[in-house]
């Protein structure tokens, strides 16, 4: 590794012209200053409620009722810590995680990390394409194949938003997150789950570790906790704020950025918990414990609740989730390519390349094997994400715990121990999920 960065800044600003493009208040009340920093956390939270997480939450609720709510809570707490570390790295060093890896490791290692991250972004985009295509099918009756092809048109939306500035991107994401939140709030009100049972579900139960099926689903939930590209993304987009690039300004920015991501991830906790609670009340409560697929859940929701609107709200939330992932996948791809390689592609070219690499497998597999093949492709995409996770988490924790690189912003000893423990748990669970998936496949 090359020596420290503290105070040196990166050779080029992350995200180019968008870096330090959003003004912030230097004075005023804490809530008003926080308002200027709100946004990046919500963009990161998209990864915690994307279509790839839905099937696991549905299966967990249908099979085990409210028991696995404790796992969702634990996974969310882990996410809060790791995303706070990513924000700290970006603000303290002036580097995003990709730039930090490029500057810290020999070039062959950097290239290997870049290839692993690109594979993860394509896998994430794959899940997004499948989820959006399923939502279009449920809402409008479009064939899955046509829906997958239509998702390629979102490149026009991304280009429009990016030309309007970073706040426009954040406003788009927050608007769709609001739709997702409201859809599930209404569905939870319709399902009317027992409050006592829900609260009890957040308390860890021995069933989680003694029942092999429950343990497998718990690993699935924990394994999908931290999307690798979210760590690269967050370390970059926190730098869009025009805070003073001195020690006092950075320290203040870290506090506001951590508050932003913690609030946003609490919203993600509600959405993930709501999916599981709804599945527990509607499916587990009526004896439909084998529900696992998103489409199966959609088909049963309205008949079991007796309210026709329930399935429509479910599909609408899924569509909003898929569209939201578009923005974050595009930005993450740009950050990773520019950070590792110093290679800048036009936005439209970067987006078309990434989306094309995701659409082609979906179209081919759907054409050859039908919708069952697409379901298996979704599982494969989650396995690829799991494989890449250690290559993002381990460098991040090693950087923020290194005083040479962080200077005055190095994390304290207790947080270092906690961070390495979280990294070890997530990596171990992801490896077990990978082994189980390969063995089962």
């Amino acid at each position: 590794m090359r020596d420290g960065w503290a105070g040196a800044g990166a050779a080029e600003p992350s995200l180019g012209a968008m870096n330090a493009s959003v003004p912030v208040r230097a004075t005023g009340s804490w809530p008003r200053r926080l308002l200027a920093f709100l946004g990046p956390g919500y963009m990161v939270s998209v990864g915690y409620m994307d279509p790839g997480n839905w099937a696991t939450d549905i299966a967990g609720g249908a099979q085990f009722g409210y028991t696995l709510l404790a796992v969702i809570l634990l996974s969310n707490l882990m996410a809060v810590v790791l995303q706070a570390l990513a924000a700290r790295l970006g603000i303290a060093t002036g580097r995003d995680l990709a730039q930090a890896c490029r500057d810290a490791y020999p070039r062959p290692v950097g290239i290997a990390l870049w290839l692993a991250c690109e594979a993860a972004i394509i896998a994430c985009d794959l899940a997004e394409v499948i989820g959006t295509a399923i939502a279009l099918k449920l809402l409008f009756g479009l064939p899955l194949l046509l829906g997958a092809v239509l998702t390629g048109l979102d490149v026009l939306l991304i280009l429009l938003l990016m030309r309007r500035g970073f706040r426009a991107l954040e406003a788009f994401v927050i608007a769709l997150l609001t739709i997702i939140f409201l859809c599930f709030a209404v569905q939870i009100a319709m399902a009317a789950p027992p409050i006592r049972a829900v609260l009890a579900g957040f308390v860890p139960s021995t069933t989680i570790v003694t029942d092999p099926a429950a343990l497998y689903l718990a690993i699935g939930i924990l394994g999908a906790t931290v999307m690798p590209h979210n760590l690269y993304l967050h370390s970059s987009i926190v730098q869009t704020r025009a805070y003073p690039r001195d020690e006092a300004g950075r320290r203040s920015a870290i506090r506001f950025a951590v508050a932003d991501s913690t609030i946003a991830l609490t919203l993600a906790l509600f959405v993930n918990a709501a999916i599981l609670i709804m599945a527990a009340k509607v499916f587990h409560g009526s004896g439909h414990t084998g529900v696992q697929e998103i489409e199966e859940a959609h088909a049963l929701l309205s008949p079991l609740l007796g309210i026709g609107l329930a399935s429509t709200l479910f599909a609408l939330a899924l569509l909003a989730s898929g569209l939201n992932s578009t923005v974050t996948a595009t930005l993450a791809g740009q950050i990773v390519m520019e950070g590792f390689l110093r290679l800048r592609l036009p936005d439209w070219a970067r987006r078309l390349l990434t989306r094309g690499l995701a659409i082609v497998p979906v179209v081919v597999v759907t054409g050859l094997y039908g919708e069952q093949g697409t379901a298996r492709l979704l599982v494969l995409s989650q396995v690829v994400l799991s494989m890449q996770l250690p290559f993002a988490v381990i460098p991040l924790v090693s950087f923020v715990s290194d005083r040479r690189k962080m200077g005055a912003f190095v994390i304290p000893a207790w947080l270092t121990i906690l961070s390495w423990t979280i990294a070890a748990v997530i990596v171990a669970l992801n490896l077990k999920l990978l082994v189980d998936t390969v063995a089962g496949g």
Side-chain angles (χ1 to χ4, degrees):
M1 290 190 184
R2 275 172 264 177
D3 285 335
W5 311 321
E12 64 285 324
S14 185
L15 276 181
M18 289 188 180
N19 192 285
S21 64
V22 179
V24 298
R25 290 175 175 269
T27 58
S29 64
W30 194 86
R32 288 175 70 88
R33 294 176 66 193
L34 174 63
L35 198 60
F37 282 88
L38 291 181
Y42 292 89
M43 298 187 75
V44 167
S45 74
V46 169
Y48 295 89
M49 55 184 96
D50 74 341
N53 292 330
W54 284 44
T56 310
D57 291 336
I58 289 169
Q63 194 167 350
F64 295 102
Y66 307 102
T67 304
L68 296 182
L69 282 173
V71 179
I72 289 180
L73 178 60
L74 177 62
S75 67
N76 195 264
L77 293 174
M78 290 180 174
V80 167
V81 173
L82 289 176
Q83 293 299 161
L85 297 184
R88 176 182 285 261
L89 175 71
I91 293 170
T93 68
R95 288 166 171 77
D96 57 56
L97 182 55
Q99 291 172 328
C101 289
R102 184 194 69 207
D103 289 346
Y105 300 124
R107 185 161 178 79
V109 176
I111 295 295
L113 289 174
W114 168 67
L115 290 172
C117 194
E118 287 292 349
I121 291 171
I122 291 168
C124 184
D125 222 33
L126 195 63
E128 174 194 329
V129 168
I130 294 171
T132 306
I134 290 173
L136 289 172
K137 176 186 175 184
L138 298 179
L139 284 170
F140 307 111
L142 296 181
L144 211 57
L145 199 62
L146 178 59
V149 173
L150 286 177
T151 60
L153 297 178
D154 64 20
V155 66
L156 301 175
L157 174 64
I158 293 300
L159 290 174
L160 176 64
L161 288 170
M162 292 183 102
R163 284 177 181 162
R164 290 179 175 270
F166 201 76
R167 273 303 208 188
L169 283 172
E170 293 175 344
F172 175 77
V173 167
I174 291 172
L176 289 180
L177 286 176
T178 303
I179 291 172
I180 297 169
F181 184 88
L182 291 176
C183 285
F184 277 108
V186 173
Q187 288 177 82
I188 289 295
M190 290 176 178
I195 301 298
R196 185 186 296 270
V198 169
L199 293 178
F202 285 106
V203 179
S205 164
T206 55
T207 304
I208 297 171
V209 291
T210 56
D211 187 318
L215 181 60
Y216 181 79
L217 280 173
I219 291 171
I221 292 170
L222 281 168
T225 299
V226 181
M227 292 292 180
H229 72 277
N230 263 348
L231 300 176
Y232 292 95
L233 177 70
H234 201 190
S235 62
S236 174
I237 59 178
V238 289
Q239 299 179 56
T240 58
R241 271 44 188 179
Y243 51 84
R245 263 53 175 180
D246 55 28
E247 183 172 336
R250 292 179 192 275
R251 203 170 289 282
S252 175
I254 288 172
R255 285 197 299 269
F256 286 117
V258 171
D260 168 46
S261 63
T262 302
I263 293 168
L265 290 174
T266 302
L267 170 65
L269 170 64
F270 168 83
V271 172
N272 277 325
I275 297 171
L276 190 142
I277 291 168
M278 185 185 65
K281 176 63 168 66
V282 179
F283 304 137
H284 185 80
S286 62
H288 293 77
T289 57
V291 177
Q292 294 185 353
E293 299 292 332
I294 292 174
E295 290 183 69
E296 186 181 6
H298 174 268
L300 289 172
L301 201 55
S302 283
L304 291 176
L305 278 177
I307 304 173
L309 182 63
S311 290
T312 303
L313 289 173
F314 180 85
L316 182 61
L318 179 62
L319 180 61
S321 174
L323 288 175
N324 235 350
S325 302
T326 293
V327 175
T328 55
T330 299
L331 275 179
Q334 179 182 339
I335 290 160
V336 165
M337 183 169 282
E338 291 178 0
F340 277 113
L341 306 181
R342 290 193 176 97
L343 178 62
R344 295 182 183 274
L345 287 179
D347 295 335
W348 62 269
R350 167 74 229 180
R351 185 59 192 156
L352 280 179
L353 177 62
T354 305
R355 180 43 57 96
L357 289 172
I359 290 176
V360 170
V362 177
V363 171
V364 171
V365 170
T366 306
L368 292 176
Y369 302 105
E371 293 178 11
Q372 283 299 107
T374 309
R376 292 195 185 98
L377 200 58
L378 185 57
V379 172
L380 176 63
S381 74
Q382 301 308 298
V383 172
V384 172
L385 282 169
S386 296
M387 289 173 64
Q388 204 279 328
L389 187 58
F391 303 109
V393 173
I394 292 172
L396 172 64
V397 178
S398 69
F399 293 153
V400 295
S401 57
D402 186 343
R403 184 171 295 276
R404 293 175 307 163
K405 301 191 182 306
M406 298 293 289
F409 299 101
V410 66
I411 59 175
W414 68 267
L415 185 53
T416 300
I417 294 170
L418 176 62
S419 300
W420 279 119
T421 302
I422 290 173
V425 168
I426 290 179
V427 169
L429 291 176
N430 270 276
L431 289 175
K432 177 164 174 48
L433 182 63
L434 173 62
V435 169
D436 289 348
T437 303
V438 172

